[in-house]
């Protein structure tokens, strides 16, 4: 298998059937440079516009509608020692009367120390002068071109993936996307050095990065919504608003996965899910919210 390197000359603010930036074979690995969510690169220079400019698309040979595209996140290397967030909670995650107490929303710089694995505010308030957070890089926005010739803003998400902002999309994780167009046309970007569940200030610590991934076509594996696997769990992602609809999509996709791959019917799958499912609120800031439905691999032992 071949390893490719791509530093993009053009980035996209929509995920759709744009001309491929690179054609690769199933099983190939790519090291791809990304800009931050406002289009600033590793030098801090603005090379694209907001929101979430994407590197790609990558055309994967052999991918056809009805297949799944499996992306293995090999590594996320931050290429800039600064990042940024907003400084107050998003108005939609607190009581309405609490919003009145907030100052005007500002963009705030962070200093990233990859060697120490910590990030801290560049100009912290006195109470946070000695405070820092762990660096745990993740991909905020990635996915494949949707069907019907759509080109959908990178601000939001859907069946195809997109701006899901799930902190679990980190190195070592495998993610499956439903292929809707020939070649799948895979995009990625919007890397965060750290982010809470829900992305409740409207950002993670936004920065530039180099993402190394492997793409593999799963022929005839038809799925409805993104799925993922890590060392201890399998999970599904639903993207919609209101939040309960995103939960419904994620739960139904997990039900379908247990039925198709683990030999369960609706009753048996309901018993397993009813006792073992865990949920993450991945994002409650974007136009479509994201909910993750998780099952531990240990809970699946002995099925089928």
């Amino acid at each position: 298998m071949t390893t490719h390197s791509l530093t993009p000359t053009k980035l996209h603010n929509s995920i759709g059937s744009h001309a491929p930036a690179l054609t690769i074979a199933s099983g190939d690995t790519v090291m791809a440079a990304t800009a931050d969510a406002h289009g600033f690169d590793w030098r801090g220079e603005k090379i694209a516009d907001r929101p979430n400019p994407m590197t790609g698309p990558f055309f994967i040979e052999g991918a056809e509608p009805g297949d799944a595209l499996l992306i293995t996140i090999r590594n996320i290397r931050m290429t800039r020692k600064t990042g940024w967030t907003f400084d107050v909670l998003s108005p939609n995650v607190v009581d309405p009367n609490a919003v009145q107490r907030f100052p005007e929303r500002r963009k705030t710089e962070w200093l990233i120390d990859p060697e120490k694995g910590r990030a801290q505010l560049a100009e912290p308030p006195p109470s946070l002068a000695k405070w820092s957070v762990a660096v745990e890089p993740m991909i905020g926005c990635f996915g494949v071109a949707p069907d019907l010739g759509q080109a959908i803003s990178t601000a939001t998400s859907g069946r195809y993936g997109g701006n899901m902002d799930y902190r679990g999309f980190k190195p070592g994780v495998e993610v499956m996307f439903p292929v809707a167009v020939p070649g799948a046309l895979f995009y990625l970007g919007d890397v965060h050095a750290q982010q809470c569940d829900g992305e409740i200030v409207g950002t993670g610590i936004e920065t530039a990065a180099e993402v190394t991934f492997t793409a593999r076509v799963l022929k005839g594996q038809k799925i409805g919504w993104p799925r993922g696997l890590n060392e201890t769990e399998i999970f599904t992602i639903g993207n919609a608003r209101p939040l309960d609809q995103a939960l419904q999509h994620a739960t139904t996709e997990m039900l379908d996965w247990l039925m198709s791959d683990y030999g369960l019917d609706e009753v048996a799958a309901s018993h397993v899910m009813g006792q073992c499912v865990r949920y993450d609120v991945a994002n409650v800031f974007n136009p479509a919210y994201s909910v993750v439905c998780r099952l531990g691999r240990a809970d699946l032992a002995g099925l089928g």
Side-chain angles (χ1 to χ4, degrees), residues 114-193:
E115 288 72 32
K116 293 182 178 179
R118 308 295 296 182
Q120 63 186 96
L121 288 160
E123 297 181 1
S127 60
L128 300 181
K130 298 181 180 180
W131 177 76
S132 64
V133 295
V135 169
E136 297 177 329
M138 50 153 289
I139 302 174
C141 186
F142 64 151
V144 295
D147 60 5
L148 304 176
Q150 299 175 89
I152 300 177
S153 169
T154 54
T156 193
S157 58
R159 291 182 179 273
Y160 58 91
N163 194 31
M164 297 175 284
D165 287 311
Y166 178 43
R167 70 190 309 272
F169 290 140
K170 57 188 180 180
V173 171
E174 297 180 312
V175 187
M176 287 181 274
F177 297 98
V179 175
V181 301
L185 297 179
F186 173 67
Y187 298 77
L188 82 164
D190 185 31
V191 167
H192 303 167

Side-chain angles (χ1 to χ4, degrees), residues 39-105:
F40 291 88
D41 68 4
W42 65 275
R43 300 162 297 189
E45 295 184 6
K46 188 172 178 63
I47 61 170
D49 294 324
R50 59 189 299 186
N52 301 328
M54 294 286 100
T55 298
F58 300 90
F59 185 102
I60 296 88
E61 294 174 338
E64 296 288 342
D67 298 335
L69 180 67
L70 178 68
I71 298 295
T72 303
I73 305 170
R74 300 290 183 191
N75 189 43
I76 302 174
R77 181 178 66 86
M78 288 165 294
T79 53
R80 203 174 72 215
K81 292 189 175 182
T82 61
W84 57 269
T85 63
F86 292 126
D87 64 345
V88 292
L89 294 170
S90 175
N92 69 301
V93 304
V94 296
D95 292 334
N97 60 0
V99 178
Q100 301 172 22
R101 308 200 304 260
F102 290 171
E104 184 178 354
R105 193 175 179 83

Side-chain angles (χ1 to χ4, degrees), residues 8-304:
T9 57
K10 181 178 181 180
L11 294 100
H12 297 276
N13 299 112
S14 64
I15 295 178
S17 294
H18 301 300
L22 183 67
T23 297
I24 64 174
S26 178
D28 283 0
T29 295
V30 180
M31 295 182 294
T34 68
D36 73 20
H38 282 181
F40 291 88
D41 68 4
W42 65 275
R43 300 162 297 189
E45 295 184 6
K46 188 172 178 63
I47 61 170
D49 294 324
R50 59 189 299 186
N52 301 328
M54 294 286 100
T55 298
F58 300 90
F59 185 102
I60 296 88
E61 294 174 338
E64 296 288 342
D67 298 335
L69 180 67
L70 178 68
I71 298 295
T72 303
I73 305 170
R74 300 290 183 191
N75 189 43
I76 302 174
R77 181 178 66 86
M78 288 165 294
T79 53
R80 203 174 72 215
K81 292 189 175 182
T82 61
W84 57 269
T85 63
F86 292 126
D87 64 345
V88 292
L89 294 170
S90 175
N92 69 301
V93 304
V94 296
D95 292 334
N97 60 0
V99 178
Q100 301 172 22
R101 308 200 304 260
F102 290 171
E104 184 178 354
R105 193 175 179 83
R106 297 181 307 164
K107 192 174 176 180
T108 302
E109 186 177 43
W110 290 69
L111 305 178
I112 300 168
D113 188 332
E115 288 72 32
K116 293 182 178 179
R118 308 295 296 182
Q120 63 186 96
L121 288 160
E123 297 181 1
S127 60
L128 300 181
K130 298 181 180 180
W131 177 76
S132 64
V133 295
V135 169
E136 297 177 329
M138 50 153 289
I139 302 174
C141 186
F142 64 151
V144 295
D147 60 5
L148 304 176
Q150 299 175 89
I152 300 177
S153 169
T154 54
T156 193
S157 58
R159 291 182 179 273
Y160 58 91
N163 194 31
M164 297 175 284
D165 287 311
Y166 178 43
R167 70 190 309 272
F169 290 140
K170 57 188 180 180
V173 171
E174 297 180 312
V175 187
M176 287 181 274
F177 297 98
V179 175
V181 301
L185 297 179
F186 173 67
Y187 298 77
L188 82 164
D190 185 31
V191 167
H192 303 167
Q194 178 58 274
Q195 183 206 287
C196 69
D197 287 334
E199 201 189 29
I200 60 174
V201 295
T203 70
I205 300 178
E206 310 284 340
T207 193
E210 178 189 77
V211 178
T212 301
F213 69 91
T214 300
R216 185 158 63 91
V217 178
L218 305 179
K219 295 300 296 181
Q221 185 157 342
K222 189 174 178 62
I223 64 176
W225 291 84
R227 299 177 178 182
L229 308 94
N230 58 37
E231 289 185 355
T232 60
E233 296 174 318
I234 67 172
F235 59 91
T236 54
I237 305 97
N239 304 306
R241 190 184 284 206
L243 192 64
D244 59 349
Q245 187 176 356
L247 182 144
Q248 290 165 358
H249 294 325
T251 305
T252 304
E253 188 67 18
M254 182 62 77
L255 173 69
D256 291 345
W257 196 352
L258 293 180
M259 294 179 66
S260 64
D261 288 23
Y262 293 88
L264 306 185
D265 62 12
E266 284 88 352
V267 172
S270 295
H271 282 306
V272 173
M273 294 176 66
Q275 306 311 314
C276 301
V277 151
R278 301 291 183 267
Y279 288 104
D280 290 332
V281 178
N283 164 68
V284 285
F285 177 77
N286 300 330
Y289 295 158
S290 298
V291 170
V292 178
C293 178
R294 301 185 284 112
L295 273 175
R297 290 179 182 265
D299 297 321
L300 303 176
L303 297 185

